[in-house]
Amino acid sequence: MAGPQEGKSSEARKHKGISNGAGASQGQWGRAWEVDYFSLAAVIFLLLFAPLIVYYFIMSCDQHDCSLTEPVIDLFGGNTHLSDIWDKTPSLSWNAANICILWVTFQVILYTLIPDFCHKFLPGYVGGIQEGAITPAGIVNKYEINGLQAWIITHTLWFASSYYFHWFTPTIIIDNWIPLLWCANILGYVVSTFAMIKAHVFPTNAKDCKFTGNYFYDYMMGIEFNPRIGKWFDFKLFFNGRPGIVAWTLINLSFAAKQQELYGQVTNSMILVNVLQGIYVLDFFWNEAWYLKTIDICHDHFGWYLGWGDCVWLPYLYTLQGLYLVYHPVQLSTANAVGILLLGLVGYYIFRMTNHQKDLFRRTDGNCKIWGKKPEYIECSYTSTNGSRYYSKLLTSGFWGVARHFNYTGDLMGSLAYCLTCGFEHILPYFYIIYMTILLVHRCIRDEHRCSGKYGKDWKRYTTAVPYRLIPGIF
């Protein structure tokens, strides 16, 4: 599902030198123009079952101590009924609705009304008004990059309000976790439905729309490329990078506060989850300007996949480790804690430095040094549908010489570290690494299929030079 975890794993398109210029035909952009039966079946499956999957995971923790098998066993064994499970599920509440409305409104204000000031005093940080990639219609959108600022303001006010002024308890999020799930679902469906209507009635740019004629596919995958309201409110950047991902660290902090309330201490595993996932969130906002060049912004249209996914899938399933540790506090041995920390930090280093090498190579057109040497690369060419010829350079040295998607490898190492903090008693907290592995392997195959068709023989030269996708010697 969409989210900040897709944004940080979307560099393959860029390091391969895929042109985002006007020379690329519109057919090369975004989602499909036509829907095959397999894609339609996948879309219908996700529309029907993705919300149920999220509910099942959260309900399992709330009613079955985070066991994914007990609800099924109880149902088939006749020990419980679906109506029993539903009756025990907390319902939507006005308190949760008010929290959700206040939260989204506050993030909209931070996003649209407060210009970035962080770039004025933080060396190396790129914020303020930045340009995105060119759209299929030839439009270059401008964005106010102020996510780091929004994160800082939000967390400063959170700590002041909960710990100094005591306006609310720091456990407010987990105390309303399931009622907030209903609010998040309502928000996700409202946003997705509005985006669908907007694309038909008043699109931001009609030339950046794609219609298949299939309602389900268009609803899920989106029609508009960059739906906007006014000059600055961009649906795609806001929902990909604001309500859910800003909340990610607050959700984990709320889980930690609940652990303290229940057991009188915060375990080292909970601290590790907060630290490692906090590093990712801060990395996302520090590199938000770079995020404008990823597949999430440059390739995806805005529909249910992003709208609902960023409102529900991201905040509820990417935080399962912290939720699990509330129900099953794990105090790791010093050796295990250090090992998990190192795994997470090394994964982050690989992920960040791999991206840095690619960005450096691209910015300097190869006139740089990687690992102290002049970079090696393969020159490729392709012809667009209008007959124009374009050229790209595919980096084959540094981390990009180790594997074609080595940034994904670092990403998966960090994801595994999150899960290992929870021990091995239940499979639930390992959903994240399972999901990310499937997602990134699929993305590898999808991106390489596209590049193979685009570059032809040059792509074969590239894969010969860098034979492995993720793990050298294995895959």
Side-chain angles (χ1 to χ4, degrees), residues 162-176:
S162 60
Y163 288 99
Y164 184 77
F165 295 107
H166 302 289
W167 289 341
F168 55 80
T169 172
T171 63
I172 187 172
I173 297 176
I174 187 172
D175 290 341
N176 294 275

Side-chain angles (χ1 to χ4, degrees), residues 12 31 33 61 63 84 102 104 108 151 155 162 182 242 286 305 315 320 328 333 338 368 381 387 421 447 449 465:
R31 29 138 288 195
W33 283 100
C61 280
Q63 299 184 27
D84 298 327
L102 179 63
V104 176
V108 170
W151 187 91
H155 285 68
S162 60
W182 308 134
R242 288 299 188 277
W286 184 269
Y305 179 75
L320 282 176
H328 294 271
S333 68
V338 171
C368 60
S381 63
T421 61
D447 289 350
H449 176 74

Side-chain angles (χ1 to χ4, degrees), residues 115-140:
D116 181 72
F117 57 78
C118 288
H119 70 281
K120 296 181 179 180
F121 63 86
L122 289 177
Y125 173 69
V126 178
I129 298 175
Q130 301 292 325
E131 289 186 349
I134 190 169
T135 74
I139 304 298
V140 178

Side-chain angles (χ1 to χ4, degrees), residues 141-162:
N141 289 313
K142 292 186 177 181
Y143 300 82
E144 177 68 51
I145 298 300
N146 58 7
L148 181 63
Q149 171 181 287
W151 187 91
I152 292 172
I153 293 174
T154 300
H155 285 68
T156 300
L157 291 178
W158 166 273
F159 280 103
S161 300
S162 60

Side-chain angles (χ1 to χ4, degrees), residues 253-428:
L253 288 170
S254 185
F255 292 157
K258 194 65 177 181
Q259 238 194 22
Q260 177 68 42
E261 177 186 288
L262 293 174
Y263 311 108
Q265 66 170 339
V266 179
T267 63
N268 57 5
S269 55
M270 180 69 84
I271 293 172
L272 279 173
V273 167
N274 273 263
V275 169
L276 292 175
Q277 294 187 352
I279 289 172
Y280 163 63
V281 171
L282 284 174
D283 177 89
F284 173 83
F285 286 122
W286 184 269
N287 295 285
E288 188 177 18
W290 155 85
Y291 183 63
L292 298 179
K293 309 297 183 180
T294 62
I295 288 179
D296 289 0
I297 301 299
C298 297
H299 177 82
D300 291 334
H301 291 240
F302 187 84
W304 183 88
Y305 179 75
L306 292 180
W308 180 88
D310 290 325
C311 291
V312 180
W313 189 269
L314 186 156
Y316 276 87
L317 294 190
Y318 290 11
T319 59
L320 282 176
Q321 293 78 36
L323 180 65
Y324 175 86
L325 290 172
V326 172
Y327 292 89
H328 294 271
V330 175
Q331 185 67 25
L332 299 164
S333 68
T334 301
N336 287 340
V338 171
I340 292 171
L341 177 62
L342 288 176
L343 175 64
L345 293 179
V346 170
Y348 172 73
Y349 174 80
I350 292 173
F351 161 73
R352 177 45 48 209
M353 290 307 298
T354 305
N355 291 331
H356 171 71
Q357 289 178 358
K358 173 261 305 171
D359 286 335
L360 178 64
F361 178 77
R362 186 181 58 183
R363 287 197 315 268
T364 62
D365 194 29
N367 297 313
C368 60
K369 288 187 177 181
I370 293 178
W371 287 355
K373 300 178 181 179
K374 186 177 180 180
E376 299 175 4
Y377 57 87
I378 290 177
E379 292 195 43
C380 299
S381 63
Y382 65 94
T383 303
S384 67
T385 54
N386 63 11
S388 299
R389 195 156 188 81
Y390 296 89
Y391 297 87
S392 299
K393 295 177 180 179
L394 309 184
L395 183 61
T396 60
S397 59
F399 282 121
W400 296 107
V402 177
R404 301 196 292 270
H405 305 271
F406 206 56
N407 51 340
Y408 292 10
T409 306
D411 203 350
L412 290 173
M413 291 171 64
S415 301
L416 178 60
Y418 304 162
C419 302
L420 288 174
T421 61
C422 299
F424 300 99
E425 186 175 349
H426 288 285
I427 195 173
L428 180 141

